[in-house]
Coordinates of all heavy atoms in Angstrom, one line a residue:
I76 N 36.0 -29.0 -60.9 CA 34.9 -29.9 -60.8 C 33.9 -29.5 -59.7 O 34.3 -28.8 -58.8 CB 35.5 -31.4 -60.5 CG1 34.4 -32.4 -60.7 CG2 36.2 -31.4 -59.2 CD1 35.0 -33.9 -60.7
N77 N 32.7 -30.0 -59.8 CA 31.7 -29.8 -58.8 C 31.1 -31.2 -58.5 O 30.5 -31.8 -59.4 CB 30.7 -28.7 -59.1 CG 29.7 -28.5 -58.0 OD1 29.0 -29.4 -57.5 ND2 29.7 -27.2 -57.5
A78 N 31.1 -31.6 -57.3 CA 30.6 -33.0 -57.0 C 29.1 -33.0 -57.2 O 28.5 -34.0 -57.7 CB 30.9 -33.3 -55.5
A79 N 28.4 -32.0 -56.7 CA 26.9 -32.0 -56.9 C 26.5 -32.0 -58.3 O 25.5 -32.6 -58.8 CB 26.3 -30.8 -56.1
Y80 N 27.2 -31.2 -59.1 CA 26.9 -31.1 -60.6 C 27.0 -32.6 -61.2 O 26.2 -33.0 -62.0 CB 27.9 -30.2 -61.3 CG 27.6 -30.1 -62.8 CD1 26.7 -29.1 -63.3 CD2 28.2 -31.0 -63.7 CE1 26.4 -29.1 -64.6 CE2 27.9 -30.9 -65.0 CZ 27.1 -30.0 -65.5 OH 26.8 -29.9 -66.8
V118 N 18.1 -29.6 -54.0 CA 19.4 -29.2 -53.7 C 19.7 -27.8 -54.1 O 20.3 -27.0 -53.3 CB 20.4 -30.2 -54.4 CG1 21.9 -29.7 -54.2 CG2 20.3 -31.6 -53.7
S119 N 19.1 -27.4 -55.2 CA 19.3 -26.0 -55.6 C 18.7 -25.0 -54.6 O 19.3 -24.0 -54.2 CB 18.7 -25.8 -57.0 OG 19.3 -26.5 -58.0
K120 N 17.5 -25.4 -54.2 CA 16.8 -24.5 -53.1 C 17.6 -24.5 -51.9 O 17.8 -23.4 -51.3 CB 15.4 -25.1 -52.8 CG 14.4 -24.9 -53.8 CD 13.0 -25.3 -53.2 CE 12.1 -25.9 -54.1 NZ 11.0 -26.5 -53.4
A121 N 18.1 -25.6 -51.4 CA 18.9 -25.6 -50.2 C 20.2 -24.9 -50.4 O 20.6 -24.2 -49.4 CB 19.2 -27.1 -49.8
A122 N 20.8 -24.9 -51.6 CA 22.0 -24.2 -51.8 C 21.7 -22.7 -51.7 O 22.5 -21.9 -51.2 CB 22.6 -24.6 -53.1
N123 N 20.6 -22.3 -52.3 CA 20.2 -20.9 -52.2 C 20.0 -20.4 -50.8 O 20.3 -19.3 -50.4 CB 19.0 -20.6 -53.1 CG 19.3 -20.6 -54.6 OD1 20.4 -20.2 -55.0 ND2 18.4 -21.1 -55.4
A124 N 19.3 -21.3 -50.0 CA 19.0 -21.0 -48.6 C 20.3 -20.9 -47.8 O 20.5 -19.9 -47.0 CB 18.2 -22.1 -48.0
L125 N 21.3 -21.8 -48.0 CA 22.5 -21.7 -47.3 C 23.3 -20.4 -47.7 O 23.9 -19.8 -46.8 CB 23.4 -23.0 -47.6 CG 22.9 -24.3 -46.9 CD1 23.8 -25.4 -47.3 CD2 22.8 -24.2 -45.4
T126 N 23.2 -20.1 -49.0 CA 23.9 -18.9 -49.4 C 23.3 -17.7 -48.6 O 24.0 -16.8 -48.2 CB 23.7 -18.7 -50.9 OG1 24.2 -19.8 -51.6 CG2 24.5 -17.5 -51.4
E127 N 21.9 -17.7 -48.6 CA 21.3 -16.6 -47.8 C 21.7 -16.5 -46.4 O 21.8 -15.5 -45.8 CB 19.8 -16.8 -47.9 CG 18.9 -15.7 -47.5 CD 17.4 -16.1 -47.7 OE1 17.0 -16.1 -48.9 OE2 16.7 -16.3 -46.7
L128 N 22.0 -17.7 -45.8 CA 22.5 -17.7 -44.4 C 24.0 -17.4 -44.3 O 24.6 -17.6 -43.2 CB 22.2 -19.1 -43.8 CG 20.7 -19.5 -43.7 CD1 20.5 -20.9 -43.1 CD2 20.0 -18.5 -42.8
G129 N 24.6 -17.1 -45.4 CA 26.0 -16.6 -45.3 C 27.0 -17.7 -45.5 O 28.2 -17.5 -45.3
V130 N 26.6 -18.9 -46.0 CA 27.6 -20.0 -46.2 C 28.3 -19.7 -47.5 O 27.7 -19.5 -48.5 CB 26.9 -21.3 -46.2 CG1 27.9 -22.4 -46.6 CG2 26.2 -21.7 -44.9
R131 N 29.7 -19.7 -47.4 CA 30.5 -19.5 -48.6 C 31.5 -20.7 -48.7 O 31.7 -21.5 -47.8 CB 31.4 -18.2 -48.3 CG 30.6 -17.0 -48.2 CD 29.9 -16.5 -49.5 NE 29.0 -15.4 -49.3 CZ 27.7 -15.4 -49.0 NH1 27.1 -16.6 -49.0 NH2 27.0 -14.4 -48.8
A132 N 32.1 -20.8 -49.9 CA 33.0 -21.9 -50.2 C 34.1 -21.9 -49.1 O 34.6 -20.9 -48.6 CB 33.7 -21.6 -51.5
G133 N 34.3 -23.1 -48.6 CA 35.3 -23.3 -47.5 C 34.7 -23.4 -46.1 O 35.3 -23.9 -45.2
D134 N 33.5 -22.8 -45.9 CA 32.9 -22.8 -44.6 C 32.4 -24.2 -44.3 O 31.9 -24.9 -45.1 CB 31.6 -21.9 -44.6 CG 32.0 -20.4 -44.7 OD1 33.2 -20.1 -44.7 OD2 31.1 -19.6 -44.9
R135 N 32.5 -24.6 -43.0 CA 32.1 -25.9 -42.6 C 30.7 -25.9 -42.1 O 30.3 -25.0 -41.4 CB 33.0 -26.5 -41.5 CG 34.2 -27.2 -42.1 CD 35.3 -26.2 -42.4 NE 35.8 -25.5 -41.3 CZ 36.4 -24.3 -41.3 NH1 36.6 -23.7 -42.5 NH2 36.8 -23.7 -40.2
V136 N 29.9 -26.9 -42.5 CA 28.5 -27.1 -42.1 C 28.3 -28.4 -41.4 O 28.7 -29.4 -42.0 CB 27.6 -26.9 -43.3 CG1 26.1 -27.2 -42.9 CG2 27.7 -25.6 -44.0
V148 N 20.1 -34.0 -49.4 CA 19.9 -32.7 -50.0 C 20.9 -31.7 -49.3 O 21.6 -31.0 -50.0 CB 18.5 -32.2 -49.8 CG1 18.3 -30.8 -50.2 CG2 17.5 -33.1 -50.6
A149 N 21.0 -31.8 -48.0 CA 21.9 -30.9 -47.2 C 23.4 -31.1 -47.6 O 24.1 -30.2 -47.9 CB 21.7 -31.1 -45.7
M150 N 23.8 -32.4 -47.8 CA 25.1 -32.7 -48.1 C 25.5 -32.2 -49.5 O 26.5 -31.5 -49.7 CB 25.4 -34.2 -48.1 CG 25.4 -34.8 -46.7 SD 25.3 -36.7 -46.8 CE 26.9 -37.1 -47.4
L151 N 24.5 -32.4 -50.5 CA 24.8 -32.0 -51.8 C 24.7 -30.5 -52.0 O 25.4 -29.9 -52.8 CB 23.9 -32.7 -52.8 CG 24.0 -34.2 -53.0 CD1 23.0 -34.8 -53.8 CD2 25.4 -34.5 -53.5
A152 N 23.9 -29.8 -51.2 CA 23.8 -28.4 -51.2 C 25.2 -27.8 -50.7 O 25.7 -26.8 -51.3 CB 22.7 -27.9 -50.3
C153 N 25.8 -28.4 -49.7 CA 27.1 -28.0 -49.3 C 28.1 -28.2 -50.4 O 28.9 -27.3 -50.7 CB 27.5 -28.7 -48.0 SG 26.6 -28.3 -46.6
A154 N 28.1 -29.4 -51.0 CA 29.1 -29.7 -52.0 C 28.9 -28.7 -53.2 O 29.9 -28.3 -53.8 CB 28.8 -31.1 -52.5
R155 N 27.7 -28.4 -53.5 CA 27.5 -27.4 -54.6 C 28.1 -26.1 -54.3 O 28.6 -25.4 -55.3 CB 25.9 -27.2 -54.7 CG 25.5 -26.9 -56.0 CD 24.0 -27.0 -56.1 NE 23.6 -26.5 -57.4 CZ 23.6 -27.3 -58.5 NH1 23.9 -28.5 -58.4 NH2 23.3 -26.8 -59.7
L156 N 28.2 -25.7 -53.0 CA 28.7 -24.4 -52.7 C 30.2 -24.5 -52.3 O 30.8 -23.5 -52.0 CB 28.0 -23.8 -51.5 CG 26.5 -23.6 -51.7 CD1 25.8 -23.2 -50.3 CD2 26.3 -22.5 -52.7
G157 N 30.8 -25.7 -52.4 CA 32.2 -25.8 -52.0 C 32.4 -25.7 -50.5 O 33.5 -25.4 -50.0
A158 N 31.3 -25.9 -49.7 CA 31.4 -25.8 -48.3 C 31.4 -27.2 -47.7 O 30.5 -27.9 -47.8 CB 30.1 -25.1 -47.7
P159 N 32.6 -27.6 -47.1 CA 32.7 -29.0 -46.6 C 31.7 -29.3 -45.5 O 31.5 -28.5 -44.6 CB 34.1 -29.1 -46.1 CG 34.6 -27.7 -46.1 CD 33.8 -26.9 -47.0
H160 N 31.0 -30.4 -45.7 CA 30.1 -30.8 -44.6 C 30.8 -31.8 -43.6 O 31.7 -32.4 -44.0 CB 28.8 -31.5 -45.2 CG 29.0 -32.6 -46.1 ND1 29.5 -33.8 -45.8 CD2 28.8 -32.7 -47.5 CE1 29.6 -34.6 -46.8 NE2 29.2 -33.9 -47.9
I183 N 27.2 -23.4 -39.0 CA 25.8 -23.7 -39.3 C 25.6 -25.2 -38.9 O 26.4 -26.0 -39.3 CB 25.5 -23.5 -40.8 CG1 25.8 -22.0 -41.2 CG2 24.1 -23.9 -41.1 CD1 24.7 -21.0 -40.9
I185 N 22.8 -28.3 -39.4 CA 21.5 -28.7 -40.0 C 21.0 -30.0 -39.3 O 21.8 -31.0 -39.1 CB 21.6 -29.0 -41.5 CG1 22.2 -27.8 -42.2 CG2 20.3 -29.4 -42.1 CD1 22.4 -27.9 -43.7
R214 N 25.9 -19.8 -35.8 CA 24.9 -18.7 -36.0 C 23.5 -19.2 -36.1 O 22.6 -18.7 -35.6 CB 25.2 -18.1 -37.4 CG 26.5 -17.4 -37.6 CD 26.5 -16.5 -38.9 NE 26.3 -17.3 -40.1 CZ 27.2 -17.8 -40.8 NH1 28.5 -17.7 -40.4 NH2 27.0 -18.5 -41.9
L217 N 19.3 -25.1 -38.7 CA 18.3 -25.3 -39.7 C 17.6 -26.6 -39.3 O 18.3 -27.6 -39.3 CB 18.9 -25.4 -41.1 CG 18.2 -24.9 -42.3 CD1 17.4 -23.6 -42.1 CD2 19.2 -24.8 -43.5
Q246 N 16.4 -22.9 -59.0 CA 17.5 -22.8 -60.0 C 18.7 -22.4 -59.2 O 18.7 -21.5 -58.4 CB 17.2 -21.7 -61.0 CG 15.9 -22.0 -61.8 CD 16.0 -23.2 -62.7 OE1 16.9 -23.4 -63.4 NE2 15.0 -24.1 -62.5
H247 N 19.8 -23.0 -59.5 CA 21.1 -22.6 -58.9 C 22.2 -23.1 -59.8 O 22.2 -24.3 -60.2 CB 21.2 -23.3 -57.5 CG 22.5 -22.9 -56.8 ND1 23.7 -23.6 -57.0 CD2 22.8 -21.9 -56.0 CE1 24.7 -23.0 -56.3 NE2 24.2 -22.0 -55.7
T248 N 23.1 -22.2 -60.1 CA 24.2 -22.6 -61.0 C 25.4 -23.0 -60.2 O 25.9 -22.3 -59.3 CB 24.6 -21.4 -61.9 OG1 23.4 -20.9 -62.6 CG2 25.6 -21.8 -62.9
A249 N 25.8 -24.3 -60.4 CA 26.9 -24.8 -59.6 C 28.2 -24.1 -60.1 O 28.5 -23.9 -61.3 CB 27.0 -26.3 -59.8
E250 N 29.0 -23.8 -59.1 CA 30.3 -23.2 -59.4 C 31.4 -24.4 -59.4 O 31.2 -25.3 -58.6 CB 30.7 -22.2 -58.2 CG 31.8 -21.3 -58.5 CD 32.2 -20.5 -57.3 OE1 31.2 -20.1 -56.5 OE2 33.3 -20.2 -57.0
F251 N 32.3 -24.3 -60.3 CA 33.3 -25.3 -60.3 C 34.5 -24.9 -59.5 O 34.9 -23.8 -59.5 CB 33.7 -25.6 -61.8 CG 32.6 -26.3 -62.5 CD1 31.7 -25.5 -63.2 CD2 32.5 -27.7 -62.5 CE1 30.6 -26.1 -63.8 CE2 31.4 -28.3 -63.1 CZ 30.5 -27.5 -63.8
F252 N 35.0 -25.9 -58.7 CA 36.1 -25.6 -57.8 C 37.3 -26.5 -58.1 O 37.2 -27.4 -58.9 CB 35.7 -26.0 -56.3 CG 34.5 -25.2 -55.8 CD1 33.2 -25.7 -55.9 CD2 34.7 -23.9 -55.4 CE1 32.2 -24.9 -55.4 CE2 33.7 -23.1 -54.9 CZ 32.4 -23.6 -55.0
D253 N 38.4 -26.1 -57.5 CA 39.6 -26.9 -57.7 C 39.4 -28.3 -57.3 O 38.6 -28.6 -56.4 CB 40.7 -26.3 -56.8 CG 42.1 -26.8 -57.1 OD1 42.8 -26.3 -58.0 OD2 42.4 -27.9 -56.5
Q256 N 39.4 -29.0 -53.6 CA 38.5 -28.4 -52.7 C 38.0 -29.4 -51.7 O 37.5 -30.4 -52.0 CB 37.3 -27.8 -53.5 CG 36.2 -27.1 -52.7 CD 36.7 -25.7 -52.2 OE1 37.7 -25.2 -52.7 NE2 36.0 -25.2 -51.2
P257 N 38.1 -29.1 -50.4 CA 37.6 -30.0 -49.4 C 36.1 -30.3 -49.6 O 35.3 -29.4 -49.9 CB 37.7 -29.2 -48.1 CG 38.9 -28.3 -48.3 CD 38.8 -27.9 -49.8
L258 N 35.7 -31.6 -49.6 CA 34.4 -32.0 -49.8 C 33.7 -32.3 -48.4 O 32.6 -31.9 -48.2 CB 34.3 -33.2 -50.7 CG 32.9 -33.8 -51.0 CD1 32.1 -32.8 -51.8 CD2 33.0 -35.1 -51.8
T277 N 37.7 -33.3 -53.4 CA 36.6 -33.5 -54.4 C 37.0 -34.5 -55.6 O 36.3 -35.5 -55.7 CB 36.1 -32.2 -55.0 OG1 35.7 -31.3 -53.8 CG2 34.8 -32.4 -55.8
Y317 N 27.5 -40.3 -52.7 CA 28.3 -39.9 -53.8 C 28.5 -40.9 -55.0 O 28.4 -40.6 -56.1 CB 29.7 -39.4 -53.3 CG 29.5 -38.0 -52.6 CD1 29.6 -38.0 -51.2 CD2 29.1 -36.9 -53.3 CE1 29.5 -36.7 -50.5 CE2 28.9 -35.7 -52.6 CZ 29.1 -35.6 -51.3 OH 28.9 -34.4 -50.6

Side-chain angles (χ1 to χ4, degrees):
I76 189 167
N77 184 298
Y80 180 90
V118 169
S119 296
K120 285 194 217 167
N123 286 325
L125 290 177
T126 304
E127 192 176 288
L128 295 177
V130 175
R131 299 290 174 266
D134 294 351
R135 277 79 63 202
V136 175
V148 172
M150 290 166 73
L151 293 175
C153 290
R155 209 168 173 83
L156 299 174
H160 51 71
I183 301 280
I185 305 177
R214 298 193 296 274
L217 209 46
Q246 302 294 311
H247 181 271
T248 307
E250 191 185 329
F251 290 90
F252 297 99
D253 189 88
Q256 178 74 13
L258 181 62
T277 309
Y317 290 108

